[in-house]
């Protein structure tokens, strides 16, 4: 008998991809991998990227997530996650930019702290999208060169469950900002019916606070400094959590700032003309002249549904030893 689809309303973790090759290595130039596989139907609460195994030395000076420089996740041809980072460095002793990005939107990086060479890290990225039947994902993954090659497994997990909203991570806008000159930046916002803009992730090309101020015109004329941005985004109060086994094998560490990275809250503004305008002022102290910035919009959209749709048998027969014994005897 054919089975029917049933929505499992609870939380369920489902492995949708695994291999032993899509891992960070010490090869010059890092690595780039393109993966794809079917996805079970249901409400995808979050996407998890897990790296586990061993390395001959600590792959990065702090968090292994520092090695990941790009994550692009496409579902049924629609890009829903596009997180690209700048200024990655395996010498960094702070939280990674990817780690800060996912924590700013309610995600997390779960990472082993007790060993520098036994690697177990999962990056959870909130999504909240309903995957229909016969869905398929594509993942483009980029790494910088690690300090040591990791041998083990790379896995893609889906956490099915409930979500109050769909979170979309749009295409980056990029622009070079001249030193000490207020510059207008028009950040392109994807056209998605009913979507609002939760905020914009802003990154400089260097791991330094060269930003002087940013004015989101949709909110008025208030000039927001790096310190102010970290206050209203919650970074300076809650901190960015990360692992650094070499510095502390007993506990996670925290940063209240990631130099060169800023989350600009826009309080779910509704955009009608396809863009939001920033007025930015920056001064590059290390290389005077200008700095290259990128802008990643984060969109919210109402969603509904819950759990993974799992097959259910529609033909049921009551069984038991009493009936089985009598039936067996009578059949003789």
């Amino acid at each position: 008998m054919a089975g029917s689809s049933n929505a499992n309303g609870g939380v369920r973790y489902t492995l949708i991809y695994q291999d032993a090759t899509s891992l960070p290595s010490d090869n010059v130039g890092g690595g780039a991998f393109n993966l794809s596989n079917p996805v079970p139907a249901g409400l995808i609460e979050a996407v998890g990227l897990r790296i586990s195994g061993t390395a001959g030395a600590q792959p990065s000076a702090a968090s292994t997530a520092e090695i990941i420089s790009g994550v692009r996740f496409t579902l049924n041809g629609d890009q829903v996650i596009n997180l690209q980072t700048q200024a990655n460095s395996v010498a960094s002793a702070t939280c990674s930019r990817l780690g800060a990005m996912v924590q700013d939107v309610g995600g997390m990086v779960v990472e082993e702290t007790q060993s520098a060479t036994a690697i177990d890290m999962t990056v959870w990225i909130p999504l909240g999208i309903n995957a229909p039947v016969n869905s398929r994902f594509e993942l483009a993954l980029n790494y910088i060169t690690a300090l040591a090659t990791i041998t083990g497994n790379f896995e893609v997990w889906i956490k099915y469950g409930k979500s109050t909203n769909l979170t979309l991570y749009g295409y980056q806008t990029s622009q070079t900002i001249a030193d000490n000159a207020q510059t207008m930046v028009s950040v392109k916002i994807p056209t998605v019916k009913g979507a609002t803009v939760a905020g914009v992730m802003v990154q400089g090309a260097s791991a330094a606070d060269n930003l002087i101020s940013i004015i989101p015109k949709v909110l008025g004329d208030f000039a927001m400094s790096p310190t102010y941005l970290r206050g209203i985004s919650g970074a300076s109060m809650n901190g960015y959590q990360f692992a650094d086994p070499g510095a502390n094998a007993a506990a996670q560490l925290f940063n209240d700032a990631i130099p060169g990275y800023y989350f600009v809250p826009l309080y779910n503004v509704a955009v009608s003309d396809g863009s939001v305008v920033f007025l930015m002022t920056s001064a590059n102290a290390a290389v005077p002249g200008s700095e290259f910035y990128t802008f990643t919009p984060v969109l919210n959209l109402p969603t509904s549904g819950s759990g993974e749709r799992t097959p259910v048998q529609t033909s049921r027969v009551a069984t038991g030893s009493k009936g089985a014994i009598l039936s067996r005897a009578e059949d003789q």
Side-chain angles (χ1 to χ4, degrees):
M1 297 290 292
S4 66
S5 180
N6 179 57
N8 175 3
V11 171
R12 182 180 177 89
Y13 293 88
T14 300
L15 178 65
I16 61 170
Y17 184 86
Q18 179 182 33
D19 69 32
T21 57
S22 305
L23 293 165
S25 74
D26 58 6
N27 294 334
V28 176
F33 300 92
N34 292 284
L35 321 171
S36 64
N37 237 8
V39 179
L43 192 142
I44 300 174
E45 183 180 335
V47 176
L49 309 177
R50 187 176 191 180
I51 295 173
S52 60
T54 58
Q58 190 168 342
S60 178
S63 173
T64 302
E66 183 72 33
I67 302 169
I68 303 175
S69 60
V71 176
R72 188 171 68 250
F73 186 89
T74 302
L75 184 66
N76 299 327
D78 294 325
Q79 178 186 281
V80 292
I81 297 173
N82 187 13
L83 296 176
Q84 310 295 324
T85 58
Q86 296 196 88
N88 294 61
S89 171
V90 290
S92 171
T94 66
C95 176
S96 66
R97 287 195 179 181
L98 179 63
M101 286 175 162
V102 299
Q103 290 179 66
D104 274 333
V105 294
M108 69 181 83
V109 177
V110 183
E111 192 168 2
E112 173 65 54
T113 61
Q114 297 184 8
S115 173
T117 56
I119 311 301
D120 186 1
M121 180 196 71
T122 306
V123 179
W124 282 106
I125 307 173
L127 191 52
I129 193 171
N130 270 301
V133 176
N134 297 324
S135 290
R136 188 174 184 84
F137 87 91
E138 298 170 22
L139 174 66
L141 188 67
N142 295 94
Y143 298 121
I144 63 170
T145 303
L147 295 174
T149 296
I150 298 175
T151 302
N153 289 306
F154 172 78
E155 300 167 349
V156 181
W157 287 84
I158 296 293
K159 180 185 178 186
Y160 291 93
K162 294 184 178 181
S163 181
T164 57
N165 66 275
L166 162 61
T167 304
L168 297 175
Y169 309 84
Y171 289 98
Q172 285 186 344
T173 296
S174 59
Q175 189 163 331
T176 299
I177 308 297
D179 284 355
N180 299 305
Q182 190 177 76
T183 304
M184 186 178 76
V185 179
S186 181
V187 180
K188 180 174 174 56
I189 305 300
T191 302
V192 180
K193 185 179 180 180
T196 58
V197 185
V200 176
M201 300 167 173
V202 180
Q203 298 181 72
S206 60
D209 274 339
N210 295 326
L211 178 69
I212 296 174
S213 69
I214 184 168
I215 301 174
K217 290 300 293 178
V218 71
L219 301 181
D221 297 312
F222 189 84
M224 302 179 181
S225 66
T227 300
Y228 186 80
L229 286 170
R230 286 159 184 152
I232 62 171
S233 69
S236 61
M237 294 173 282
N238 301 315
Y240 295 117
Q241 180 177 318
F242 70 104
D244 184 350
N248 191 330
Q252 299 278 316
L253 301 178
F254 292 87
N255 286 137
D256 61 2
I258 309 300
Y261 167 76
Y262 321 93
F263 185 80
V264 183
L266 295 182
Y267 308 103
N268 293 315
V269 64
V271 175
S272 58
D273 60 356
S275 65
V276 293
V277 172
F278 290 162
L279 298 180
M280 289 186 59
T281 306
S282 175
N284 193 334
V287 185
S290 63
E291 181 161 10
F292 182 78
Y293 282 86
T294 61
F295 307 82
T296 304
V298 180
L299 279 64
N300 284 332
L301 191 67
T303 192
S304 61
S306 63
E308 179 182 357
R309 298 179 192 172
T310 54
V312 173
Q313 292 293 330
T314 58
S315 178
R316 298 180 178 87
V317 177
T319 61
S321 60
K322 179 180 177 181
I325 292 170
L326 290 175
S327 176
R328 182 177 176 85
E330 291 172 355
D331 288 343
Q332 298 304 316

